[in-house]
Amino acid sequence: MDDLRRFLWFFNLLIFGVLTGVSASYANDQFIINHSESELDNRYQYTYDLLTLVIEATKADFGEASLTVSDMIMSRNRIFRALKDGQTINVIAEASKLEWDEQLIPIRIPIRKGIQGFRIFIIKQENAAALANITTLAQLTSLNTGSGSQWSTKVALQLAGFNVVESTEYDNLFNMLSKGRFVTFGRGVNEIFQEVALFKQHYPELVADEHIMLNIPLATYYYVSPNKPRLAQRIQIGLQRIIDNSQFDQLFYQHHCTYLLKSKLNQRLIFKIENPFISESEMTSIVGNDFLLNPKDDFSVLCSQYL
């Protein structure tokens, strides 16, 4: 981050604290984060661990804090409504959405460095050869693809020309893929290998495609209830601190290098499509351009420092 960006960032935090009455008094802040969408869904563990690190990094000036995972499994629309109130949950790590940006407090630091937008397809083994023969985006979009009804990537896929088959239930998408309702099911690099392994017992025919990556600009932000501005300030300050002292990268790569190496992104045919909800310039407005990962890089050297 250059000096001007750093100055503006801290100035905005100061103004934010003055306008909202947030002070650095010692208090027992209570973070209540969302439960995953399914008992088989462990995609949020990194975001829980990262928030724990943020809390630890801000104890000196914000005091003690507790982090609780809600015991309620809710759809994203229901989570959004709960966040606006801030009682049952008050923070979530989720892909950026316009409505969320406007009605919640977004912490605009992309905590997954963009890799959730590095989409690899779960497919049936019988379709592996068909995917291996694809050379154009038009060929790829001719295949039905699956998506959660409330996922922000759904709109990006539709605008790119995909016929998107939807479901409101996370687990059901794997069942629909198994039954041939669609051919491809795009998942982030941070998700796909865990999911194929987790669902292997129920759907042994599902595998990760080895040839294609669909690149969609996608930022995972922490979103905080508008009724909890102190928690938002604490998260933003804490994230910046652990980025500056390298604790962020340590945790990020420990969680993600296995998947970055296994995916062999730089050996894949990469198609990039636009996301109407966010651009890469927006994603890097606080942290700078170098913060996001480049899927064409060879991660073996970088990851050797962390594994």
Side-chain angles (χ1 to χ4, degrees), residues 80 95-104 106 108 152 221 223 275-278 282:
F80 175 59
S96 60
K97 301 176 182 67
L98 181 60
E99 189 177 22
W100 292 46
D101 289 343
E102 293 174 342
Q103 299 187 45
L104 305 174
R108 298 182 189 278
S152 60
Y221 294 147
Y223 284 93
N275 185 343
F277 298 121
I278 196 165
E282 293 174 277

Side-chain angles (χ1 to χ4, degrees), residues 17-306:
V18 170
L19 293 177
T20 59
V22 174
S23 66
S25 60
Y26 280 76
N28 187 5
D29 290 326
Q30 297 180 334
F31 293 84
I32 310 172
I33 198 166
N34 65 297
H35 194 287
S36 58
E37 293 184 46
S38 160
E39 293 301 333
L40 293 175
D41 179 10
N42 62 1
R43 292 173 295 162
Y44 291 95
Q45 187 59 51
Y46 164 70
T47 67
Y48 303 157
D49 293 347
L50 182 59
L51 193 52
T52 299
L53 201 60
V54 164
I55 291 170
E56 187 64 31
T58 51
K59 278 186 178 179
D61 41 354
F62 281 83
E64 296 294 328
S66 62
L67 173 58
T68 303
V69 178
S70 170
D71 58 3
M72 298 176 64
I73 297 178
M74 298 181 283
S75 70
R76 295 190 189 185
N77 285 349
R78 189 178 172 194
I79 286 172
F80 175 59
R81 293 192 296 270
L83 279 168
K84 287 195 290 184
D85 177 66
Q87 297 301 310
T88 54
I89 61 171
N90 54 37
V91 61
I92 186 176
E94 193 54 82
S96 60
K97 301 176 182 67
L98 181 60
E99 189 177 22
W100 292 46
D101 289 343
E102 293 174 342
Q103 299 187 45
L104 305 174
I105 304 176
I107 314 302
R108 298 182 189 278
I109 294 175
I111 60 172
R112 293 193 187 274
K113 289 179 173 283
I115 69 166
Q116 198 166 1
F118 298 174
R119 312 296 279 188
I120 297 175
F121 293 111
I122 300 179
I123 58 173
K124 296 176 72 170
Q125 179 66 60
E126 65 189 45
N127 291 322
L131 268 288
N133 289 326
I134 285 177
T135 58
T136 67
L137 181 60
Q139 291 173 322
L140 184 61
T141 60
S142 70
L143 304 175
N144 287 351
T145 196
S147 173
S149 299
Q150 299 164 14
W151 295 358
S152 60
T153 49
K154 180 193 75 173
V155 178
L157 292 168
Q158 290 172 327
L159 292 177
F162 285 91
N163 179 36
V164 181
V165 181
E166 307 172 27
S167 175
T168 58
E169 297 181 13
Y170 169 78
D171 288 3
N172 191 43
L173 286 160
F174 297 88
N175 180 261
M176 292 168 68
L177 175 61
S178 174
K179 290 181 177 179
R181 293 282 305 281
F182 44 83
V183 178
T184 62
F185 181 31
R187 311 301 296 130
V189 166
N190 56 300
E191 302 166 320
I192 185 167
F193 299 109
Q194 299 174 79
E195 291 176 339
V196 168
L198 284 169
F199 285 92
K200 193 73 174 177
Q201 180 178 353
H202 300 290
Y203 310 111
E205 72 279 12
L206 301 186
V207 298
D209 169 62
E210 298 179 351
H211 302 282
I212 293 171
M213 192 201 89
L214 186 65
N215 189 358
I216 309 173
L218 190 63
T220 301
Y221 294 147
Y222 282 117
Y223 284 93
V224 181
S225 168
N227 294 322
K228 302 292 182 180
R230 176 186 165 91
L231 300 188
Q233 187 192 32
R234 183 166 184 166
I235 292 173
Q236 183 148 353
I237 290 173
L239 281 175
Q240 192 57 61
R241 283 181 182 167
I242 63 175
I243 288 171
D244 289 346
N245 67 20
S246 299
Q247 286 182 294
F248 180 97
D249 274 357
Q250 185 73 32
L251 182 70
F252 175 84
Y253 288 113
Q254 284 177 347
H255 270 269
H256 296 99
C257 268
T258 298
Y259 311 125
L260 287 168
L261 294 173
K262 192 171 184 177
S263 63
K264 300 178 181 178
L265 297 177
N266 63 335
Q267 298 178 26
R268 293 174 178 267
L269 180 61
I270 299 176
F271 298 109
K272 188 166 185 175
I273 64 175
E274 297 304 313
N275 185 343
F277 298 121
I278 196 165
S279 65
E280 289 181 355
S281 61
E282 293 174 277
M283 293 166 64
T284 57
S285 61
I286 292 177
V287 291
N289 294 332
D290 293 338
F291 191 75
L292 299 183
L293 298 188
N294 184 342
K296 296 180 180 180
D297 286 345
D298 181 351
F299 292 103
S300 58
V301 175
L302 174 64
C303 286
S304 66
Q305 305 172 50
Y306 300 101

